[in-house]
Amino acid sequence: MDSRICVVVLSCLFGLTCADPVKYVDCGSATGKVTMVDINPCASQPCQLHKGQDYSVNVTFSSGVMSTTSTAVVHGIIAGVPIPFPIPVGDGCKSGIQCPIQKQQMYHYQTTLPVRSEYPAIKLVVEWELRDDDKKDLFCIKFPVQIV
Ligand SMILES: *[C@@H]1O[C@H](CO)[C@@H](O)[C@H](O)[C@H]1NC(C)=O
């Protein structure tokens, strides 16, 4: 067995990081291109987000533009209505991205998604955008989650 696969399998067995790429839909990445979305922990899909727990989000993307800033905008879409979803750090440049963002370079946007205990236990779609200097989307992804 490939040693990388082996590590993943062993981590899964011990309930550690068992990061399967998250199935997402691109919702209009204009100035960048997403290659992978990871949410941890997320053992099955749609990801089950437990109230009171923190999740790490890791979006791998390449940029098609130069940008000195990057701003995350997150919404939870409930029954078709986008509702702002607060995240602790909205600045992409403080979330694993070294700014200024360079053209044709690959980045890992890494942040934390806290699931507050007062959230309702529902299924929803999370829409995550990262905007460049011109407020265009370096990426826009959507993925379903279930709050439990
Ligand atoms: C994010 O994903 C990339 C690509 O799989 C990986 O190299 C990097 O270590 C990940 N970062 C974290 C904090 O998990």
Side-chain angles (χ1 to χ4, degrees):
M1 202 191 317
D2 180 307
S3 64
R4 273 187 54 207
I5 294 174
C6 194
V7 167
V8 171
V9 169
L10 285 177
S11 315
C12 288
L13 286 177
F14 293 107
L16 301 170
T17 54
C18 179
D20 233 0
V22 169
K23 294 185 191 88
Y24 65 92
V25 169
D26 193 291
C27 41
S29 303
T31 55
K33 193 176 184 322
V34 178
T35 50
M36 181 139 95
V37 179
D38 257 333
I39 295 174
N40 207 356
C42 170
S44 60
Q45 294 192 44
C47 293
Q48 298 216 329
L49 306 181
H50 294 259
K51 293 182 192 185
Q53 204 173 317
D54 284 356
Y55 291 82
S56 70
V57 175
N58 183 354
V59 181
T60 304
F61 72 100
S62 60
S63 175
V65 292
M66 217 285 283
S67 185
T68 54
T69 63
S70 61
T71 310
V73 179
V74 186
H75 286 93
I77 302 174
I78 300 166
V81 182
I83 293 162
F85 203 110
I87 53 165
V89 181
D91 188 348
C93 301
K94 293 187 176 123
S95 312
I97 297 173
Q98 202 189 338
C99 293
I101 289 173
Q102 306 293 330
K103 216 171 156 169
Q104 314 305 353
Q105 193 147 326
M106 190 84 103
Y107 293 95
H108 300 297
Y109 165 77
Q110 294 159 358
T111 194
T112 302
L113 179 66
V115 178
R116 306 218 179 120
S117 41
E118 60 266 27
Y119 286 169
I122 52 167
K123 279 186 179 175
L124 71 150
V125 171
V126 175
E127 183 182 86
W128 207 301
E129 293 166 76
L130 188 69
R131 295 183 180 166
D132 65 15
D133 291 343
D134 299 326
K135 298 203 159 49
K136 288 190 178 145
D137 284 340
L138 281 160
F139 67 72
C140 176
I141 52 169
K142 274 190 197 175
F143 50 89
V145 298
Q146 180 160 25
I147 296 177
V148 292

